[in-house]
Structure formats: C-alpha cells, structure tokens
Amino acid sequence: MQKSTRLNYSQRYWDQGYKELCTPPSNEGWTAQKNVIHIWPRHSYMLIGFPNTDGSFTCSLHIPFEGPFSFDSIRSERELLGLSVSPFPASKKLSQ
C-alpha cells in the first residue's frame, strides 16, 4: 500500500507492551470476586484481572518496554513476581 499513489503513511511504535499472567482459582482476597474485571492503574502502567469460568483469572500486565519498571528490568521469574507485588499489593495471589 505504501507504493500506491495518494497515500500518506506513518508508523509509530508504542512504548508499552503486555504479558498475560494466570492466577489459580481461590475464594480469598480479590480473586473471591468472580464476576468482575479487576483493574489496578499505576502511573504509566497497569494490571487488569479478567475472570475465567473455572474461577481463575487471566491478568494482563501492561508496562513499558524500557525503564526502571519495565520488561527490560525483568531478568527472572522472581523479579517478575516482585514487580507484581510491590506496585500492586492487591495482586499478591500472583506471587503465591
């Protein structure tokens, strides 16, 4: 399409991405609320918990690609779990 005449084209890359994380079914804490979407916004990032029919949640962590709290700063599973607990205390189930 770029080679067509009368076509303006521009491309911008988004500075953020997301990773899906899963939580097991539970009747404690925020996971006890099975019929709601949980959203934890923080500055330039957020965590969203989507309920599944089996009682578990699929969580979508939206964070920048670069910077102190980013995909670049995650080198291990332990660091990922540490990042999910510190700014999102309600999401402690992700680390258990």
Side-chain angles (χ1 to χ4, degrees):
M1 284 181 49
Q2 280 180 298
K3 295 179 181 178
S4 300
T5 57
R6 299 182 183 200
L7 177 74
N8 271 336
Y9 173 81
S10 67
Q11 182 173 342
R12 280 188 353 192
Y13 291 97
W14 206 22
D15 63 348
Q16 228 179 58
Y18 77 96
K19 180 73 177 169
E20 288 189 355
L21 309 166
C22 296
T23 64
S26 174
N27 289 322
E28 298 177 16
W30 66 271
T31 56
Q33 297 175 322
K34 307 288 186 205
N35 297 319
V36 288
I37 295 174
H38 299 273
I39 303 174
W40 298 275
R42 302 289 187 273
H43 309 291
S44 62
Y45 46 90
M46 75 173 130
L47 179 66
I48 307 170
F50 299 97
N52 298 314
T53 55
D54 67 353
S56 66
F57 278 82
T58 299
C59 297
S60 179
L61 178 63
H62 295 255
I63 60 174
F65 289 115
E66 299 172 338
F69 186 81
S70 67
F71 285 110
D72 261 359
S73 68
I74 300 169
R75 302 280 182 234
S76 68
E77 184 178 339
R78 177 180 234 179
E79 288 177 339
L80 171 63
L81 295 175
L83 289 176
S84 69
V85 172
S86 58
F88 306 107
S91 67
K92 288 183 184 173
K93 279 286 178 196
L94 289 175
S95 65
Q96 296 176 351

